[in-house]
């Protein structure tokens, strides 16, 4: 059986690599064509900075612009490919399973193995084991790889000429105490605020004190958490003689500012960062849903794989594989999309934990029923 297992696993992995490569290339080519102007502009900017030293009067040649464009494409789509794999890994594994078993049926190998006394369920074991391992790769990717790529992944295509999220202004961002923070510029790379104004409010809402600083640097250690003020001062709103102030404690961290700026940003954070963010936002249901959905979607991907198996574990090599593939695609793609929809809609009506795990509860009996239809 080890020989058979190795043979099936090899065919399965070959199909998985081919399908993953085709999906990534298709996505990159289509998206690149739509946003080609942005990447050409990014190529000119990079060529001007790295080849001619940023001299505005010097126009870089064709080769530097081409190299800068290729660098911009790799810098933008490289991190994005990791995120696409995490999102589509379940469907890629299921599709690779379908191609693998369809090839075995078409070449009569499935029939030969079945005739030798091997159960179809036993044939599916190596694919299930490897499929679970491939789906499980999404967890370490989300925990260790994607958070490091978050500044690049949160960029828009119009910002592809930059290596990370660009600076932006902050307008009256509230913290947990109800105080309002404003800054002319926030630099996510250095966790730095410039031209800072903080309005401390009483329980009724009106501002009672005003804090100002030229710059503020985020500090998070065992002793204190907040913004280290540079040339900071504090006083009454109408005070003409403010007092010096060097630190402002708050839960309004750079992660919170970025999460409010880019809706996708919380989904790019690690579990530790999400737990820290949960203590800094008023509505924690979204954060809880994100944490639990990472585990539940991994289980859903495995259940979708199980639901697709009965359509390709066939005894009769004359079965119309095209019809079987259409049926499998309808069930698997529909089930995968429905799971995402249930999680997004369910969080509005259910506990975020219940909404995240509801698809698993629904698909467990469905996958068990479909497995019983295999004739072996």
């Amino acid at each position: 059986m080890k020989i058979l297992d190795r043979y099936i696993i090899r065919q399965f992995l070959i199909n998985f690599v081919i399908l993953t490569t085709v999906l990534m290339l298709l996505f990159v080519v289509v998206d690149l064509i739509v946003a080609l102007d942005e990447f050409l502009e990014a190529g000119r900017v990079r060529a001007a900075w790295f080849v001619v030293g940023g001299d505005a009067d010097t126009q870089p040649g064709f080769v530097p612009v081409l190299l800068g464009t290729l660098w911009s494409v790799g810098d933008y789509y490289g991190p994005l490919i990791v995120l696409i794999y995490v999102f589509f890994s379940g469907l890629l594994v299921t599709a690779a399973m379908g191609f693998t078993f369809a090839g075995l049926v078409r070449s009569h190998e499935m029939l030969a193995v079945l005739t030798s006394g091997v159960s179809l369920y036993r044939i599916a074991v190596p694919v299930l084991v490897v499929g679970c391992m491939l789906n499980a790769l999404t967890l370490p990717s989300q925990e260790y790889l994607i958070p490091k790529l978050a500044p690049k992944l949160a960029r828009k295509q119009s910002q592809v000429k930059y290596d990370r999220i660009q600076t932006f202004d902050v307008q009256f961002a509230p913290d947990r105490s109800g105080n309002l923070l404003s800054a002319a510029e926030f630099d996510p790379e250095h966790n730095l605020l410039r031209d800072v104004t903080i309005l401390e409010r009483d329980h009724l809402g009106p501002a009672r004190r005003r804090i100002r600083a030229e710059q503020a640097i985020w500090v998070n250690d065992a002793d204190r958490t907040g913004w280290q003020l540079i040339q900071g001062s504090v006083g009454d709103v109408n005070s003409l003689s403010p007092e010096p102030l060097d630190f402002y404690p708050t839960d309004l961290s750079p992660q919170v500012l970025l999460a409010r700026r880019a809706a996708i940003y919380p989904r790019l954070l690690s579990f530790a960062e999400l737990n820290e963010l949960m203590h800094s936002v008023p509505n924690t249901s979204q954060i809880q849903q994100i944490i639990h959905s990472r585990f539940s979607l991994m289980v859903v991907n495995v259940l979708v794989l199980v639901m697709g198996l009965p359509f390709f574990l066939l005894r009769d090599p004359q079965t119309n594989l095209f019809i079987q593939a259409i049926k499998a695609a309808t069930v698997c793609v529909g089930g995968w999309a429905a799971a995402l929809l249930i999680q997004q809609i369910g969080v509005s009506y259910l506990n975020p934990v219940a909404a995240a795990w509801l698809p698993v509860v629904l698909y467990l009996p469905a996958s068990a029923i479909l497995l019983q239809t295999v004739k072996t």
Side-chain angles (χ1 to χ4, degrees), residues 191-204:
N191 292 335
L192 177 68
L193 294 171
R194 296 184 178 90
D195 193 8
V196 185
T197 299
I198 302 172
L199 297 178
E200 289 188 342
R201 301 190 296 176
D202 57 27
H203 65 283
L204 297 177

Side-chain angles (χ1 to χ4, degrees), residues 16-317:
F16 177 79
V17 171
I18 292 174
L19 287 170
T20 303
T21 304
V22 170
L23 175 67
M24 301 304 179
L25 289 177
L26 183 63
F27 176 86
V28 170
V29 169
V30 173
D31 193 69
L32 180 60
I33 292 174
V34 174
L36 186 59
D37 291 342
E38 297 288 351
F39 288 99
L40 291 175
E41 175 63 23
R44 285 191 288 267
V45 171
R46 291 182 184 274
W49 278 103
F50 294 109
V51 179
V52 298
D55 188 355
D57 297 329
T58 304
Q59 294 296 326
F62 172 76
V63 174
V65 171
L66 177 62
L67 294 176
T69 302
L70 293 176
W71 179 277
S72 300
V73 171
D75 182 65
Y76 181 77
Y77 288 109
L80 194 58
I81 284 176
V82 180
L83 190 63
I84 294 173
Y85 173 79
V86 170
F87 189 71
F88 288 106
S89 62
L91 292 182
L92 289 170
V93 169
T94 303
M97 175 275 299
F99 277 98
T100 301
F101 287 142
L104 295 177
V105 172
R106 188 183 301 109
S107 62
H108 295 192
E109 291 173 295
M110 186 80 79
L111 180 61
V113 174
L114 186 63
T115 306
S116 66
V118 179
S119 169
L120 289 178
Y121 292 115
R122 178 61 183 84
I123 297 175
V125 168
V127 170
L128 276 174
V129 173
V130 177
C132 291
M133 294 172 62
L134 292 174
N135 282 313
L137 287 177
T138 59
L139 282 181
S141 298
Q142 290 179 316
E143 180 67 14
Y144 301 107
L145 190 57
I146 290 180
K148 295 180 180 179
L149 301 174
K152 293 180 179 292
L153 290 169
R155 293 177 299 174
K156 300 178 181 179
Q157 288 179 334
S158 59
Q159 300 174 329
V160 70
K161 61 179 70 69
Y162 309 113
D163 291 333
R164 55 188 59 83
I165 303 174
Q166 286 300 285
T167 59
F168 57 88
D169 62 327
V170 180
Q171 298 292 336
F172 302 107
D175 62 10
R176 186 172 289 275
S177 301
N179 302 325
L180 303 178
L181 183 147
S182 299
E185 186 179 60
F186 170 52
D187 184 355
E189 181 183 2
H190 301 98
N191 292 335
L192 177 68
L193 294 171
R194 296 184 178 90
D195 193 8
V196 185
T197 299
I198 302 172
L199 297 178
E200 289 188 342
R201 301 190 296 176
D202 57 27
H203 65 283
L204 297 177
R208 57 183 181 85
R209 293 204 310 172
R210 180 184 317 182
I211 300 172
R212 288 184 173 176
E214 289 191 3
Q215 294 183 345
I217 301 174
W218 178 253
V219 176
N220 185 13
D221 51 35
D223 298 328
R224 57 183 185 172
T225 299
W227 293 96
Q228 179 73 43
L229 304 179
I230 299 176
Q231 296 187 0
S233 62
V234 59
D236 295 337
V237 175
N238 298 320
S239 176
L240 299 179
S241 56
E243 299 177 356
L245 183 69
D246 61 356
F247 187 79
Y248 173 69
T250 181
D251 59 351
L252 200 61
S253 65
Q255 300 288 10
V256 176
L257 295 177
L258 287 170
R260 294 178 180 178
R261 175 76 174 186
I264 192 178
Y265 197 80
R267 300 187 178 275
L268 307 177
L269 302 178
S270 64
F271 290 119
E273 292 169 332
L274 286 172
N275 286 324
E276 180 181 348
L277 184 62
M278 190 181 301
H279 298 293
S280 305
V281 295
N283 184 10
T284 62
S285 59
Q286 181 190 14
I287 307 301
Q288 289 179 326
Q289 196 266 349
I290 291 174
I291 292 175
H292 286 273
S293 64
R294 290 187 179 177
F295 294 98
S296 63
L297 283 179
M298 184 181 66
V299 179
V300 166
N301 287 337
V302 175
L303 293 177
V304 168
L305 174 62
V306 173
M307 292 163 64
L309 282 172
F311 297 97
F312 297 99
L313 293 177
L314 305 170
R315 297 183 302 176
D316 186 3

